[in-house]
Amino acid sequence: MKIAIQNAKIVAYTDKSEVIENHTLIVEDDLISDIIPDSELNKKYSDAELINASGKAIFSGFANCHTHFRLTLARGIFENESPSNTPPFPGIPRKDLPKISKEEHQIMILLGALESIKAGTTFAMEVAEGIMDYADAVQKSGLRLVMAEQMSDRMYGSYGEPGKIESDPKRVEAGIERMNNLYSKWHGHDNSRITVGLAAHAPDMNSPHSLNEIRTLQDKLGVVSTIHLNQLWGEVQNIIDNYGTTPTKYLEQHDFLNDKLVAAHCRCMSKEEEEILGKFNSTVSFNSAIAARRGLSPNIKDLEGFGCKIGMGSDNMDENMIEVMRMGMFMERVRTNHGREPHPNEVYGWATKNGYKSLGLENGGTLTKGSKADLIIVNLLQPHHAPQNDIVSNWVHMGQIHDVESVMVDGKWIMKDHNVLNLDEEYIVNEANKIAKKAWGY
Ligand SMILES: [Zn+2]
């Protein structure tokens, strides 16, 4: 099966100079097999299905390095209930997430997947406990996924809350079992569109024993790992109180840091910790929207300078990576008092190529020959995309969800002309509203 996408501007990589015109992009099976001058199409690929993308651009789809689809349930509530950034921690408690049934839970997960696809995400790392319960439903969306099964073993209290950290070894055992089961059933599924990752919750939620067990399993399976790191000042205080060190040093002491680790947040961090994380070439998932909502910001340029890879994630905010890119760029400019850096080319690279690499796929996140056919078609014939002096800059500064017309993952369309093909949009949105209304009582 060959698909030829014609007449579009092809954003091969991150740079303005790498926008290719008057060429046709060829998809064969799961790969971008060729990018050829239009004049050669009939000679070389007369059998391909033709897609006319005149007035449009082909961009790489986004890699969302950190999300929790189920937390769509907390929309409209958690955004305004962040913990305190100064003692006493954690400050005014937020509402508990209501208990809902497995079936209801599944709808909220699909709502997150739906929203992701509509905003141009092609690859996401979903972090949660108990992914097995909804793995089949969410993988049917057609998204490329790292299913990162999470484990924590802190018995009393939660992340960012003070108190003596005591481990429940049974939870470690159960967590490792869940990780192994998920790996056996789903890792490598559908041409490796689905892979499994291993998640520790947070330094103040995971004992040295649990970190060791996850790291040992990671080395055995050769997969990516993840953790919420230096997320809150309450976490930092808690690690100092319990272990007499800082969160990143605590992870270093217990051999958790490595180059296949995606560390989410990294906001409440000392220079020494940034340097340590950089030394291990770990990825920082820059979750800009949730960082901004909490009134916190990671030192992205410094972390990158020390050797960290920078990816981007939505966390439990809008599953909209266009906003994540834009907000991340603006936050860094405000933080560093610099009106030119980071440049949109760089931010686009964080949200695409870097993310793919960090989530374990080397040949993805670019539109080059041999790359995975994970791409989006964006309508440029709209006021906010004109004039087209620099379409990458426009995409980062001005892009909107509705610009995304079609989404392809692994050579297959999962959204075509705004229709999400594998999910029932109307049903999911209506059900999600009903579920939330019942759960919260609003
Ligand atoms: Zn998170």
Side-chain angles (χ1 to χ4, degrees), residues 1-73:
M1 165 106 167
K2 290 179 199 135
I3 298 170
I5 309 174
Q6 293 179 287
N7 304 320
K9 294 188 173 185
I10 302 167
V11 181
Y13 180 43
T14 59
D15 200 271
K16 179 183 170 185
S17 63
E18 293 177 79
V19 177
I20 304 170
E21 297 189 57
N22 305 314
H23 278 62
T24 299
L25 184 142
I26 309 290
V27 173
E28 275 186 81
D29 301 323
D30 58 328
L31 297 177
I32 295 166
S33 63
D34 219 344
I35 295 174
I36 55 165
D38 290 334
S39 57
E40 292 178 16
L41 179 64
N42 284 341
K43 195 171 61 189
K44 280 185 148 175
Y45 296 102
S46 58
D47 57 337
E49 179 195 343
L50 298 181
I51 306 281
N52 180 6
S54 175
K56 295 163 192 180
I58 316 174
F59 285 97
S60 291
F62 296 113
N64 184 345
C65 290
H66 184 88
T67 189
H68 314 282
F69 288 148
R70 77 188 179 106
L71 288 176
T72 49
L73 179 62

Side-chain angles (χ1 to χ4, degrees), residues 17 40 73 86 96 99 103 118 130 133 148 185 197 241 355 404:
S17 63
E40 292 178 16
L73 179 62
T86 51
D96 289 330
K99 291 260 182 291
E103 293 72 26
K118 288 180 71 91
D133 286 346
K185 179 134 173 58
D241 292 347
V404 182

